[in-house]
Amino acid sequence: MIGDDEQGPDDYCLIDAARPPKADGPPYAECVLCREPTEYPESYKGVTLCPVCEWQEAQRTACSG
């Protein structure tokens, strides 16, 4: 059992955990960094990243402590 002062395997720092809903099919939104198709619907208003850029952004913003 994990206490209040312990971290579990899924605990890590996130600046914003909110994500757009996954699209059921095309059309897909473009990645705001590389313009590749994302997994998100084109109708989503906001920042969308493709899986590669999303992973790279997570690496850049990950907690080091």
Side-chain angles (χ1 to χ4, degrees):
M1 181 171 200
I2 297 174
D4 291 337
D5 59 337
E6 297 178 34
Q7 290 187 338
D10 296 329
D11 293 337
Y12 48 90
C13 293
L14 292 176
I15 292 173
D16 183 8
R19 291 186 172 192
K22 300 279 185 186
D24 292 331
Y28 299 107
E30 285 185 346
C31 175
V32 297
L33 298 177
C34 69
R35 307 197 48 108
E36 290 293 320
T38 67
E39 301 172 334
Y40 307 114
E42 191 175 62
S43 61
Y44 179 76
K45 305 296 184 214
V47 176
T48 54
L49 298 173
C50 70
V52 172
C53 290
E54 196 170 272
W55 181 83
Q56 290 173 341
E57 186 66 20
Q59 292 296 310
R60 282 192 290 271
T61 60
C63 293
S64 61

